[in-house]
Amino acid sequence: MNAYPLLDKINNPEDIKKYSLSELEELARELRSFIIDTVAANGGHLAPSLGTVELTLALYSVFRFPQDKLVWDVGHQAYSHKILTGRRERFHTLRQLGGITGFPNRFESKYDAFGVGHASTSISAALGMAVSRDLCGRNNEVIAVIGDGALTGGESFEALNQAGDLGKKLIVILNDNEMSIDKNVGGMSEYLSRIRMAPQYNKAKKDVGNLLMSIPHIGDKAYRTAQIVKDSVRSALVPGSVFEEIGFHYIGPIDGHDISLLQEMFCRAKELEGPVLIHIHTKKGKGFLPAEKNPNKFHGIGVFDRHTGECPKKQGGAPSYTSVFSKALIELADKNTDITAITAAMPSGTGLKAFGEVYPARFFDVGIAEEHAVTLAAGMAADGRHPVVALYSTFAQRAYDQLMHDVCLQNLPVTLCLDRAGLVGADGPTHHGAFDLSYLRHMPNMTIFVPKDEAELRDMLATAVSMDSPTAVRYPRGAGFGVPMREEFSEVPVGKAEILKASDEDTVAFLAVGPMVHRAEQAAAILTDEGISASVVNMRFVKPLDTGVIEQMASRCLLVTVEENSLVGGFGSGVAEYLMDKGLSDKVKLLRLGIPDKFIEQGTPNELLELCGLTPEQMAAAVKERLK
Ligand SMILES: Cc1ncc(C[n+]2csc(CCOP(=O)(O)OP(=O)(O)O)c2C)c(N)n1
Ligand SMILES: CC(=O)[C@@H](O)[C@H](O)COP(=O)(O)O
Ligand SMILES: [Mg+2]
């Protein structure tokens, strides 16, 4: 018996318009089940996508896509959108190498109006499409769907600000489920709660409106007069609707799981002139009890039992870099009361949640606001603190100028801890931490630590927070190598490498940073077995470089730099620049191994390392090729 009879009949999103309300409600059940089945088997962003099933069906039953433009914010909640737009058959390849991507992607479908993955971009992009539409004289709708978490991102307010001023037709749907990845934070989140809690205002608004319109002849005039009254009532009952104050029509809050109500509000929004914000209230994880109960766990999840929601028990294994960072920072903060910790809406992901439980007064979750996080830290540092800002490498790209202008130029003691540095895997090109060595290396006063394993992460973190200047420590997603870790911290001499294996007779020297050190050791072993002797150096720092060791190793025939960062402007570039500047580049060959100058797709980390030529076997082969 076909589990998805209605879903299987949809060959074109326009088919959805033919369904009655009761069929749409049945279709919602089928969609939900299909998403749970798929994510249980593959992993993915379950809770966000379960929360937008009815929203998506209502959107597709009222608007004409792709003529109308639909921009999802972050896009992790768009699985229904993908399934309904021709990707149902391939949806089981979600987030796999060569498969359906985890976020809307313009190269994947004409229904994906804009590529997303980083938060708070949807209103800006949608407004851009509305401006373009009007310049071309078209009349399509442009819709942005943004979550309450993404609304804490500064770019959202920049876009709302301009949209309210331009007055162009634009529909912004605020999907308010009171959650970011963790519980949502900030004044805007509190404001939304107050609006949601003001049913008496909404009921009064509706009752008064209906009463006035029912009065013959004067009803319409009285209704318009009442609109003026409404605004004063609203400001009395519900603190001024900030959205209306900046030029939006505001509709809501409405039940984001009531398809009929959503359809009615979308039709009303289509009739309104100018920008409209529709505030819907949804439940993250809706329809799957384990996810409803724990939307944080099911925000982004690995494989799980389809019925119980249980994930496979991890058998022992090495600790994650994140957990090692989290524990080490608490130990350091025990001794150093100047240490504060800042996250941008990722307390669980960065491990700072534990810090916040121990030191709540020294922990700050700023929402999805990486730019603000860094300059907040700079302010703290300027006043004598030593803030530690923990961001994912890819999201730290948002704070480039804050790092340059507010931290490095002022030479302030801020420590940037970049988690998810390198190839992250299933999240793909929007999330790989492929560029931090490049974007940090040219910042004056910055010291860049790259631990080779979890033990070195502890010591590097301790050294970084002891310094009175900008520092960055970058480490990958996932587990370490299970190396022994001492309780006490050891200082890492800044700018000094660690020679792991060397003989002056060696033909080759690997200069590696981060976990690539262990892979370089494996490549060296392969080469040694084939009669090519290789030195291996853990360079430890991308800035400052240990130039003494570079010159010492330049006596080999071939220097090989290895990094899990873009080759453009990364660690290898720094070594090349040094060799060139010192006139050594004609004395020694240089082979740079790293992430090529392109966006790397999704897949397992090992698949992606292979794609980049970074497995030990490939590294050994590349060395042999260059030695020819
Ligand atoms: C710039 C940036 N910072 C952090 C993230 C990580 N992130 C992904 S989804 C999310 C929470 C989004 O909350 P919301 O917009 O409310 O969507 P919901 O998951 O609640 O549906 C965060 C912080 C991101 N994608 N982009
Ligand atoms: C959608 C988003 O940006 C986050 O949910 C991200 O996918 C989390 O990544 P990790 O799974 O590495 O914490
Ligand atoms: Mg949310």
Side-chain angles (χ1 to χ4, degrees):
M1 199 268 266
N2 182 349
Y4 314 110
L6 292 177
L7 188 56
D8 286 351
K9 274 195 261 175
I10 294 173
N11 299 307
N12 179 306
E14 286 305 295
D15 294 342
I16 295 167
K17 291 182 169 62
K18 302 169 192 159
Y19 283 167
S20 67
L21 180 58
S22 61
E23 285 172 325
L24 287 175
E25 284 161 350
E26 176 52 28
L27 181 54
R29 277 187 286 278
E30 290 186 17
L31 252 182
R32 224 170 227 113
S33 179
F34 187 79
I35 289 169
I36 298 167
D37 288 345
T38 306
V39 179
N42 293 306
H45 289 96
L46 182 72
S49 286
L50 290 179
T52 57
V53 170
E54 288 80 10
L55 166 62
T56 309
L57 287 171
L59 282 167
Y60 274 90
S61 61
V62 170
F63 296 99
R64 301 166 298 126
F65 300 117
Q67 298 85 337
D68 293 336
K69 304 300 174 194
L70 176 57
V71 182
W72 294 91
D73 205 291
V74 182
H76 62 319
Q77 76 287 60
Y79 290 178
S80 293
H81 156 83
K82 290 203 168 207
I83 293 162
L84 295 170
T85 52
R87 289 165 274 189
R88 184 180 69 241
E89 279 74 22
R90 294 194 65 234
F91 199 64
H92 65 280
T93 66
L94 180 67
R95 296 166 23 114
Q96 295 164 32
L97 186 63
I100 295 290
T101 60
F103 309 99
N105 179 324
R106 293 176 61 246
F107 306 112
E108 184 175 277
S109 168
K110 64 185 178 183
Y111 291 95
D112 293 3
F114 198 70
V116 285
H118 285 196
S120 317
T121 62
S122 61
I123 304 173
S124 297
L127 183 59
M129 292 173 193
V131 165
S132 168
R133 170 202 61 204
D134 294 352
L135 288 172
C136 305
R138 280 189 266 110
N139 67 351
N140 60 282
E141 299 290 350
V142 180
I143 300 130
V145 177
I146 185 166
D148 54 314
L151 192 65
T152 62
E155 185 179 338
S156 303
F157 292 101
E158 293 164 7
L160 287 170
N161 181 48
Q162 191 193 16
D165 179 46
L166 288 180
K168 291 187 172 298
K169 186 58 187 298
L170 172 71
I171 296 173
V172 175
I173 298 171
L174 171 55
N175 175 29
D176 177 6
N177 54 22
E178 303 170 61
M179 290 294 291
S180 189
I181 295 182
D182 297 82
K183 190 91 181 70
N184 201 7
V185 296
M188 179 49 80
S189 176
E190 292 305 315
Y191 171 70
L192 295 176
S193 302
R194 285 200 301 278
I195 296 183
R196 281 196 311 274
M197 248 58 104
Q200 70 278 17
Y201 164 75
N202 293 309
K203 176 142 180 24
K205 188 176 72 168
K206 192 168 181 180
D207 295 350
V208 166
N210 294 340
L211 175 69
L212 290 171
M213 289 302 279
S214 67
I215 302 169
H217 310 308
I218 62 160
D220 192 41
K221 188 171 180 334
Y223 183 70
R224 279 201 302 280
T225 310
Q227 289 285 37
I228 299 161
V229 171
K230 179 196 80 165
D231 291 344
S232 52
V233 166
R234 172 193 289 273
S235 61
L237 286 175
V238 175
S241 164
V242 72
F243 305 109
E244 286 184 334
E245 303 294 331
I246 61 170
F248 275 75
H249 298 286
Y250 171 83
I251 297 175
I254 61 170
D255 177 356
H257 300 297
D258 180 334
I259 294 175
S260 165
L261 183 57
L262 288 165
Q263 290 173 323
E264 180 193 342
M265 292 304 129
F266 293 164
C267 292
R268 185 185 301 181
K270 285 173 74 171
E271 302 310 314
L272 289 170
E273 296 295 317
V276 185
L277 186 131
I278 304 172
H279 179 189
I280 71 171
H281 189 215
T282 61
K283 185 153 192 61
K284 193 165 184 175
K286 175 84 174 175
F288 185 59
L289 203 54
E292 288 189 11
K293 285 181 176 172
N294 193 341
N296 172 252
K297 173 187 169 188
F298 284 88
H299 169 87
I301 189 162
V303 296
F304 62 88
D305 182 295
R306 165 70 173 86
H307 303 289
T308 65
E310 285 307 309
C311 299
K313 292 274 180 290
K314 285 188 183 134
Q315 307 303 334
S320 68
Y321 284 91
T322 304
S323 64
V324 169
F325 157 72
S326 174
K327 182 172 177 293
L329 187 63
I330 291 169
E331 291 167 26
L332 292 165
D334 288 344
K335 302 188 186 76
N336 179 347
T337 56
D338 284 339
I339 289 176
T340 57
I342 300 168
T343 175
M346 310 286 285
S348 300
T350 60
L352 284 186
K353 190 170 190 174
F355 184 100
E357 286 157 1
V358 177
Y359 292 112
R362 292 156 62 187
F363 167 75
F364 303 89
D365 178 355
V366 299
I368 309 180
E370 288 82 2
E371 306 91 317
H372 166 59
V374 171
T375 305
L376 175 77
M380 289 182 191
D383 197 62
R385 309 281 72 71
H386 192 120
V388 172
V389 186
L391 302 174
Y392 286 15
S393 163
T394 189
F395 301 143
Q397 291 162 192
R398 282 279 171 89
Y400 177 87
D401 189 52
Q402 287 75 18
L403 286 164
M404 180 74 86
H405 178 269
D406 302 331
V407 175
C408 289
L409 178 58
Q410 299 189 93
N411 202 19
L412 288 167
V414 172
T415 295
L416 179 66
C417 289
L418 294 177
D419 200 334
R420 278 46 172 202
L423 297 163
V424 295
D427 272 341
T430 53
H431 284 63
H432 293 318
F435 308 105
D436 57 82
L437 297 184
S438 306
Y439 66 72
L440 290 173
R441 195 170 64 85
H442 56 253
M443 293 188 184
N445 300 328
M446 176 61 81
T447 299
I448 307 170
F449 296 74
V450 191
K452 70 172 189 245
D453 54 37
E454 63 271 34
E456 202 165 58
L457 169 57
R458 277 179 58 84
D459 292 337
M460 286 186 169
L461 180 62
T463 304
V465 299
S466 71
M467 291 171 65
D468 196 25
S469 59
T471 52
V473 189
R474 63 108 69 173
Y475 44 93
R477 183 176 197 269
F481 291 89
V483 296
M485 283 188 282
R486 295 180 314 284
E487 273 304 304
E488 68 286 351
F489 293 106
S490 306
E491 185 178 351
V492 180
V494 174
K496 291 297 170 202
E498 175 194 23
I499 297 177
L500 297 173
K501 172 178 176 290
S503 152
D504 286 344
E505 284 66 55
D506 285 339
T507 311
V508 174
F510 284 99
L511 308 180
V513 288
M516 291 309 298
V517 170
H518 293 262
R519 297 186 191 112
E521 286 181 306
Q522 292 170 292
I526 293 168
L527 290 168
T528 302
D529 290 348
E530 299 181 16
I532 301 172
S533 61
S535 306
V536 181
V537 180
N538 166 23
M539 287 300 286
R540 281 181 165 160
F541 295 85
V542 168
K543 187 172 190 177
L545 283 172
D546 187 334
T547 53
V549 164
I550 293 173
E551 296 206 17
Q552 181 188 339
M553 294 295 149
S555 64
R556 277 69 172 160
C557 301
L558 178 66
L559 282 185
V560 187
T561 60
V562 196
E563 60 195 300
E564 204 172 322
N565 186 86
S566 172
L567 284 169
V568 182
F571 161 63
S573 296
V575 173
E577 288 161 11
Y578 182 75
L579 293 172
M580 185 75 76
D581 294 345
K582 289 293 177 187
L584 296 169
S585 52
D586 52 1
K587 295 187 175 62
V588 62
K589 282 185 188 176
L590 177 64
L591 171 63
R592 295 185 302 132
L593 300 177
I595 297 174
D597 180 19
K598 60 181 181 176
F599 292 108
I600 306 302
E601 63 178 289
Q602 65 197 24
T604 65
N606 286 335
E607 285 171 337
L608 301 183
L609 283 170
E610 186 163 359
L611 217 57
C612 297
L614 291 175
T615 66
E617 296 71 21
Q618 289 171 308
M619 289 157 63
V623 165
K624 286 187 288 184
E625 185 59 30
R626 182 56 66 85
L627 285 173
K628 280 177 184 171

